[in-house]
Amino acid sequence: MGTTITLAEEIMLLSLDDESGVVRQRQSVAPALAGALLLELVLAERVSISGKHLELRSTETTGEPLLDGRIRLIETWMRGLGRRRVTDWLMKDYMKATGPVLERLGERGLVAEQVRKVLGVFPLRRYPEADGAVERALRERLATAVLGNARPDDRTAGLIALLHGAKLHRLAFPDHSPAAVKPRMAEIADGQWAAEGVRAAIRDMQAAMMLITTATVVAVT
């Protein structure tokens, strides 16, 4: 197995309960997954984000099934249009991103899918941890950057920005209060760690994730 997994898979690993395989904070995690997949495409120069609009720059394969699947979906969605709003894409994609990300983790051998029937009819899927080495390394990276004040690499900084934007502080640092880690995570999210185009994309995605999360909470209350 390769050592590099996608940002979306990293967020999913943080959200899964290791033993039960339940996705915690699902309402906030789902928009973060969609945002993470989109950020990967920005970093891979397949899409660009400017003025809160999304533009497809290339349909060339990345070699990563999760990302290539999103490229095809975006291409279909944008057909005949030069650009569309980032918020519209994330609103469309966030309900569909969880399944493919979990499936990819299973393909890598990091989680094990378990299925049981509810009332003998409805399948209930859980994804307990099968190999914890990647998650442990991930949490060490986050701790070094946020708790140890070390300078993160670009991918770690992007991940922290997404976690901060989706208010997933407790998933990333379950042994610390959100108030204890928010200032450093905000500092990293706002830092000069990436090109302005990438940082602008993250700002737009953070705003979009906040809108989605707020709309989801309102819908279920």
Side-chain angles (χ1 to χ4, degrees), residues 4-6 9 61-69 104 107-108:
T4 301
I5 64 174
T6 64
E9 290 171 274
T61 180
T62 66
E64 168 52 53
L66 271 176
L67 303 184
D68 291 341
R104 190 72 177 111
E107 291 172 352
R108 296 184 193 276

Side-chain angles (χ1 to χ4, degrees), residues 11 137 186-187:
I11 292 172
E187 178 185 359

Side-chain angles (χ1 to χ4, degrees), residues 122-201:
F122 305 104
L124 180 64
R125 288 177 169 82
R126 295 288 184 263
Y127 298 84
E129 184 177 79
D131 179 353
V134 172
E135 183 183 348
R136 287 193 295 273
L138 167 60
R139 290 189 180 277
E140 288 174 6
R141 263 172 45 225
L142 292 174
T144 298
V146 175
L147 304 177
N149 289 311
R151 180 183 176 88
D153 59 51
D154 287 359
R155 289 185 62 81
T156 303
L159 175 63
I160 290 169
L162 289 165
L163 292 168
H164 179 65
K167 302 186 185 304
L168 298 176
H169 309 90
R170 197 174 294 279
L171 288 184
F173 298 98
D175 297 328
H176 296 78
S177 70
V181 297
K182 279 182 180 179
R184 175 58 178 160
M185 292 179 75
E187 178 185 359
I188 292 171
D190 295 336
Q192 304 297 311
W193 56 272
E196 173 56 29
V198 175
R199 286 187 285 118

Side-chain angles (χ1 to χ4, degrees), residues 24-112:
R24 296 168 294 185
Q25 293 185 234
R26 181 182 287 269
Q27 291 176 358
S28 297
V29 166
L33 295 178
L37 290 169
L38 191 56
L39 177 57
E40 291 273 16
L41 294 177
V42 172
L43 294 172
E45 299 184 346
R46 299 304 190 273
V47 303
S48 61
I49 296 175
S50 177
K52 299 183 180 180
H53 286 83
L54 171 68
E55 182 176 349
L56 182 62
R57 298 179 59 185
S58 170
T59 58
E60 181 183 354
T61 180
T62 66
E64 168 52 53
L66 271 176
L67 303 184
D68 291 341
R70 264 20 199 195
I71 291 174
R72 291 190 294 271
L73 290 173
I74 291 173
E75 182 181 21
T76 300
W77 180 66
M78 296 188 70
R79 188 161 291 156
L81 301 170
R83 60 180 189 166
R84 295 184 70 170
R85 289 177 61 86
V86 173
T87 305
D88 292 341
W89 168 252
L90 294 180
M91 285 290 289
K92 175 182 177 64
D93 195 44
Y94 86 99
M95 292 294 287
K96 303 175 183 177
T98 300
V101 173
L102 286 168
E103 182 178 345
R104 190 72 177 111
L105 287 174
E107 291 172 352
R108 296 184 193 276
L110 300 182
V111 301

